[in-house]
Amino acid sequence: MSIVRVALDIPLATLFDYTVAEGVVVGQRVIVPFGKRQMVGVVMECATSTELSAERIKPVSQVLHDSAPLSKGLLDLLRFCSDYYRYPIGQTVLSALPARMRSDKPITIKPVLSYRLSESGAALDLESFSKRKVVQRRILAKLTEEPCNLAQLKALSATVGAQLKALIAGGWVESYSEAHLPSTGSGGCPTKSSMGRADKNIQTHTFDNAHTLTGEQQLAVDSITQAGGYACFLLHGITGSGKTEVYVHLMHHVLQQGGQLLLLVPEINLTPQLEHYFRSRFSDVNLVSLHSGLGEGERLHNWQQAQLGVAQIVLGTRLSVFAELPGLALIIVDEEHDSSFKQQDGLRYSARDVAIFRASQRGVPIVLGSATPALESYHNAQSGRYQMLKLTGRALAEARLPTVRCVNINQTVMHHGISENLLREVELRIARREQSLLFINRRGYAPVLMCTGCGWLSDCKHCAGKMVLHLKDQRLRCHHCGYQIRVPLACPSCGNADLHPVGSGTQRVEEVLQQRFPDARILRVDRDSTRNKRAWQTMREQIHANEVDILVGTQMLAKGHDFPALTLVGALNPDSALYSSDFRAAEKLFAQLVQVAGRAGRAEKSGEVLIQTAFPDHPLFRALQTHDFEGWAAQQLAERQMAGFPPFVYQAMLRAEGKIEAEVYAYLNSARAAAKELQHDVEILGVVPAALPRRANHLRAQLLIQATTRKGLQQFLRAWQPLLDALPAAKLRCSLDIDPLEF
Ligand code: ADP
Ligand code: ZN
Ligand code: ZN
């Protein structure tokens, strides 16, 4: 009998001891009894003794052999995260695994299907096949050459899945299963895969259409490939400077050496497009994606491909930072400033920061890429902790940076949030058959209902926020808690029937545009309309085919898309970020506007950006006009230093929410008193209401701790945590957020 210490998905900062008869290794998954339940856990340690008495210790119910054990390196990474983010070890370990590996049902491996022409497909004359079914024709042509698996076909088009189904339904193509994926093994070394490439030399791949790099690009690639061990690079390149091309060359280099590469991207909506792009650049390389939009089966499959070393490139959102990568040779974090790398619940990790730790743990280089680096990263690069690499010119000689102008909204005619100046520019673009994008900062832009008699506003009765008017279904909806009612016929407060929408939403903007330009084709893109992967794909294709004149949208549209016919960007309401309580609001706004401005004039047409503001002389807009990130960053950093904000201090935020205000404040005040007693060298601020002080009938408050060093903060937190755990908080939801981004 030996003893194992097991990580379980239980909110306690401890491992659980069990006995086991058969030989198990660290990293193996096991099923164990816990209370009345059976749970899946991961063996973290093997031991010879336990503090549990012989009667109390229970045996492991089952040792799972359906997947390779987790590597020591990954377990160390998760231990680090659990410690750094003050999150229970078991929950940390389990939350890093794909859902299928957390379930006590055995993992069944789906055979990897390959596709070939059926008899009638082989007999088909491609010339006679409908010319309009472009993708289907491409698939047929490819399969005429050789049978392919789905991953290979995906290089043909991002919509290949649906088209393939149509071909199978039509009887032209059939699927068959090759050998099964090896599901167990020692893990670690690249194994022969079922992807039909076992006969190929892993170190050669096609690498077509590579651009000759510019001097700056070449310098960046050389610096990174010559790193020889851990080094953190900040690739600061203006939009269109060819950062992606640098990534591609780095990938080429890593693939030649037989290594694995992890590419982290912020947006799940961007992954299909990026996946398609990189597949097209490396058509015979095994690339998998990892993000929460995948089905459970697909996610497990891709995770295992990475674990087996078969997947050479792993492209994923923040969760992929925990993928097993035995051959990891390089990590790239694209748009490293993006706040979606930070998880906002559970294990509140920053995937960028974890990636940096992982790179140093593995002794491999990491590249952080951005046109507008986070001030934290920029500061680190300036101080020499990271290595700064700059791309200062646009890669395509003829592509110039857009011109940026401000429209003073107090000195011009406004039409429900759109200035006459902007409408005229849009009109010009329509006449020239070019596209315009109207960018909306979501905050404070949703229309609410107001009574013209008494000034009543459509407050949510459960939250401190306002309910938003949804014209289409005539409802008021709270975007914080989901509460909704029909639009009232009269003011609930004074009975007046004259209720008016104030503020302007995407729908209002669309209406104004439609009235002014009745023949224009307007496309509204927001989070709701892009939730569906296919819908977004269709929209992108419409935009590319120039079937759209005006795009109206939020943040979504700013990120990473390349729309060649787009020459005008209008920022409708950037000002709300200027007087936000969040000290990062201006930094975020600058990044967003640079991103969205980068959409204009990417091809041979030069672009123009119009900013509607009441503060045309604000330094932020001045910096945008002169494309002066350096100046802006220097000024912001000076302000942060004066005010004592990150990156000059390190922060931790204790949050609490509950139904009874007194309980919330009692908890936080006791936490504060306990913190003071520890007498560490940290600054303990006051207990204050959260930015949204009431949500879904829960009162919310917070307590901020600051320290001048990361180490000092960590030492304090380690001492504080047991005191927090001892406080009565049964009816509260409490969380500790290290390096918080939301205020
Ligand atoms: P970024 O990622 O920095 O916004 P991209 O990598 O998308 O920029 O490059 C912008 C455009 O310039 C793309 O169309 C790309 O193909 C092109 N490009 C990049 N590098 C080069 C190069 N060295 N020579 C010619 N064109 C390039
Ligand atoms: Zn009223
Ligand atoms: Zn609400």
Side-chain angles (χ1 to χ4, degrees):
M1 279 292 177
S2 47
I3 288 156
V4 287
R5 308 225 148 94
V6 178
L8 292 176
D9 189 4
I10 298 287
L12 290 173
T14 172
L15 299 173
F16 298 87
D17 290 1
Y18 292 89
T19 57
V20 64
E22 58 183 300
V24 288
V25 296
V26 167
Q28 212 154 7
R29 286 156 57 250
V30 290
I31 298 180
V32 295
F34 188 85
K36 291 201 176 88
R37 281 182 293 165
Q38 293 285 320
M39 297 184 81
V40 171
V42 175
V43 174
M44 300 295 286
E45 294 166 24
C46 294
T48 47
S49 65
T50 174
E51 284 167 17
L52 285 181
S53 62
E55 311 85 72
R56 293 204 37 219
I57 193 159
K58 291 182 199 153
V60 165
S61 312
Q62 194 187 340
V63 178
L64 296 170
H65 293 284
D66 56 0
S67 66
L70 303 180
S71 67
K72 178 169 177 309
L74 181 63
L75 296 181
D76 285 346
L77 179 72
L78 293 167
R79 271 208 188 84
F80 163 80
C81 288
S82 163
D83 182 54
Y84 184 85
Y85 292 107
R86 300 275 105 214
Y87 197 64
I89 178 69
Q91 291 187 303
T92 304
V93 170
L94 272 295
S95 69
L97 299 182
R100 284 275 166 88
M101 293 178 71
R102 278 178 271 150
S103 124
D104 57 4
K105 295 192 191 68
I107 298 173
T108 48
I109 306 288
K110 263 197 313 195
V112 177
L113 291 181
S114 293
Y115 300 88
R116 63 186 168 211
L117 295 177
S118 65
E119 227 168 276
S120 45
L124 181 74
D125 174 16
L126 247 191
E127 284 308 304
S128 68
F129 197 79
S130 167
K131 290 249 179 335
R132 295 184 55 214
K133 297 179 178 162
V134 185
V135 177
Q136 293 192 16
R137 282 173 68 102
R138 262 189 255 163
I139 297 173
L140 290 172
K142 175 88 182 163
L143 293 181
T144 311
E145 290 167 22
E146 56 177 348
C148 295
N149 60 43
L150 190 58
Q152 290 165 320
L153 289 174
K154 273 187 179 166
L156 298 177
S157 156
T159 57
V160 84
Q163 303 303 329
L164 190 60
K165 272 203 189 116
L167 285 172
I168 293 171
W172 309 113
V173 171
E174 60 192 22
S175 65
Y176 64 103
S177 113
E178 268 187 85
H180 287 240
L181 185 72
S183 62
T184 51
S186 57
C189 41
T191 319
K192 190 170 92 165
S193 85
S194 62
M195 305 296 268
R197 41 166 312 120
D199 53 332
K200 290 182 193 163
N201 180 353
I202 237 167
Q203 282 150 31
T204 62
H205 56 269
T206 51
F207 181 48
D208 303 332
N209 310 322
H211 292 290
T212 310
L213 295 179
T214 63
E216 286 180 325
Q217 285 175 320
Q218 190 65 53
L219 188 66
V221 170
D222 291 345
S223 308
I224 297 160
T225 52
Q226 284 158 17
Y230 168 76
C232 184
F233 297 91
L234 180 63
L235 181 63
H236 177 209
I238 60 171
T239 48
S241 61
K243 292 184 291 298
T244 314
E245 195 64 26
V246 169
Y247 302 159
V248 167
H249 280 255
L250 290 171
M251 289 176 177
H252 171 61
H253 180 85
V254 168
L255 294 170
Q256 272 184 325
Q257 315 278 316
Q260 276 181 304
L261 187 138
L262 175 63
L263 173 61
L264 292 172
V265 297
E267 264 294 327
I268 191 177
N269 279 299
L270 284 177
T271 51
Q273 175 189 339
L274 286 169
E275 202 179 326
H276 177 232
Y277 177 76
F278 288 112
R279 275 192 212 291
S280 72
R281 296 298 298 268
F282 300 106
S283 56
D284 58 359
V285 161
N286 188 348
L287 178 156
V288 299
S289 62
L290 278 178
H291 55 80
S292 58
L294 297 177
E296 282 186 8
E298 201 177 356
R299 176 137 163 233
L300 175 68
H301 175 259
N302 292 356
W303 200 89
Q304 289 185 324
Q305 293 269 302
Q307 183 183 32
L308 292 166
V310 176
Q312 295 154 284
I313 301 176
V314 175
L315 171 82
T317 52
R318 59 173 181 258
L319 57 86
S320 64
V321 77
F322 296 118
E324 284 277 24
L325 293 154
L328 182 65
L330 176 70
I331 304 178
I332 299 172
V333 184
D334 190 24
E335 309 291 357
E336 64 89 29
H337 64 278
D338 200 290
S339 58
S340 63
F341 283 120
K342 171 94 179 168
Q343 168 122 328
Q344 300 293 1
D345 56 14
L347 176 67
R348 291 174 162 76
Y349 66 101
S350 152
R352 177 195 61 208
D353 297 350
V354 172
I356 294 170
F357 178 80
R358 190 164 192 191
S360 76
Q361 177 199 34
R362 293 289 290 268
V364 301
I366 176 167
V367 181
L368 312 179
S370 177
T372 51
L375 289 176
E376 280 84 356
S377 306
Y378 193 71
H379 181 61
N380 278 329
Q382 279 187 324
S383 69
R385 191 186 301 200
Y386 302 167
Q387 225 171 298
M388 180 92 82
L389 299 169
K390 288 194 183 190
L391 305 179
T392 56
R394 283 201 153 179
L396 296 165
E398 62 278 23
R400 269 167 297 136
L401 284 169
T403 51
V404 181
R405 276 194 294 145
C406 288
V407 179
N408 189 331
I409 52 171
N410 294 327
Q411 291 172 10
T412 185
V413 184
M414 297 294 288
H415 308 269
H416 296 284
I418 313 182
S419 61
E420 181 61 29
N421 315 41
L422 182 54
L423 287 173
R424 289 211 193 114
E425 293 293 335
V426 171
E427 191 164 21
L428 265 176
R429 297 313 186 284
I430 295 175
R432 295 209 298 247
R433 316 204 88 257
E434 295 171 2
Q435 290 171 336
S436 309
L437 187 167
L438 302 195
F439 175 68
I440 296 174
N441 191 9
R442 247 184 325 166
R443 268 201 192 160
Y445 216 60
V448 303
L449 207 56
M450 188 176 83
C451 169
T452 53
C454 72
W456 168 86
L457 285 169
S458 53
D459 294 301
C460 172
K461 66 177 187 183
H462 305 293
C463 305
K466 307 265 178 288
M467 292 209 280
V468 173
L469 180 64
H470 287 251
L471 282 174
K472 226 184 211 154
D473 47 0
Q474 284 293 305
R475 284 182 164 268
L476 291 171
R477 209 170 274 145
C478 172
H479 288 193
H480 298 295
C481 74
Y483 177 71
Q484 50 172 301
I485 54 170
R486 286 187 62 99
V487 169
L489 296 174
C491 171
S493 165
C494 74
N496 177 0
D498 201 15
L499 301 177
H500 272 286
V502 290
S504 188
T506 40
Q507 294 183 17
R508 291 290 294 296
V509 170
E510 195 180 351
E511 272 176 24
V512 173
L513 291 169
Q514 201 75 76
Q515 259 166 25
R516 176 78 169 243
F517 310 115
D519 299 327
R521 297 158 302 175
I522 302 169
L523 184 66
R524 187 156 54 86
V525 185
D526 48 30
R527 207 156 280 274
D528 299 331
S529 58
T530 53
R531 196 150 288 156
N532 177 331
K533 246 200 281 184
R534 287 290 303 280
W536 173 228
Q537 187 61 35
T538 315
M539 285 186 191
R540 280 192 58 235
E541 279 162 15
Q542 274 178 300
I543 300 169
H544 273 271
N546 215 353
E547 289 166 5
V548 176
D549 300 308
I550 310 171
L551 284 147
V552 180
T554 52
Q555 275 78 310
M556 260 306 304
L557 272 177
K559 289 183 188 171
H561 309 297
D562 205 354
F563 303 140
L566 183 76
T567 60
L568 173 69
V569 168
L572 295 187
N573 64 327
D575 288 353
S576 55
L578 297 180
Y579 27 79
S580 164
S581 59
D582 176 359
F583 66 87
R584 285 197 182 84
E587 179 187 351
K588 284 183 199 155
L589 176 64
F590 188 87
Q592 249 169 31
L593 291 179
V594 168
Q595 290 256 331
V596 81
R599 301 304 117 217
R602 303 235 335 158
E604 63 286 349
K605 296 169 184 155
S606 65
E608 186 165 10
V609 180
L610 227 57
I611 293 172
Q612 301 192 153
T613 173
F615 313 101
D617 295 320
H618 193 285
L620 191 155
F621 300 130
R622 287 256 167 265
L624 268 177
Q625 278 167 325
T626 49
H627 307 285
D628 182 19
F629 177 84
E630 273 83 9
W632 162 252
Q635 188 232 330
Q636 284 289 299
L637 283 170
E639 263 180 37
R640 296 266 184 99
Q641 188 157 25
M642 292 260 287
F645 283 138
F648 301 96
V649 299
Y650 297 87
Q651 299 180 318
M653 177 84 90
L654 180 66
R655 299 197 180 86
E657 56 180 86
K659 290 216 161 130
I660 299 167
E661 186 164 14
E663 286 178 0
V664 173
Y665 281 84
Y667 171 82
L668 289 173
N669 284 323
S670 316
R672 187 164 186 272
K676 291 222 160 207
E677 260 170 44
L678 286 172
Q679 298 197 341
H680 276 242
D681 186 17
V682 295
E683 189 186 355
I684 301 156
L685 283 84
V687 174
V688 295
L692 185 70
R694 196 160 61 97
R695 184 167 72 191
N697 280 331
H698 282 68
L699 288 123
R700 315 165 76 227
Q702 61 199 33
L703 167 62
L704 187 66
I705 309 286
Q706 298 192 150
T708 48
T709 64
R710 209 184 274 284
K711 203 165 152 219
L713 182 64
Q714 284 289 320
Q715 279 168 352
F716 163 79
L717 292 170
R718 260 177 232 132
W720 196 32
Q721 171 106 61
L723 307 180
L724 290 180
D725 291 345
L727 292 176
K731 289 185 203 141
L732 303 179
R733 238 180 306 178
C734 310
S735 63
L736 199 51
D737 189 352
I738 317 300
D739 309 326
L741 284 185
E742 291 201 336
F743 282 82

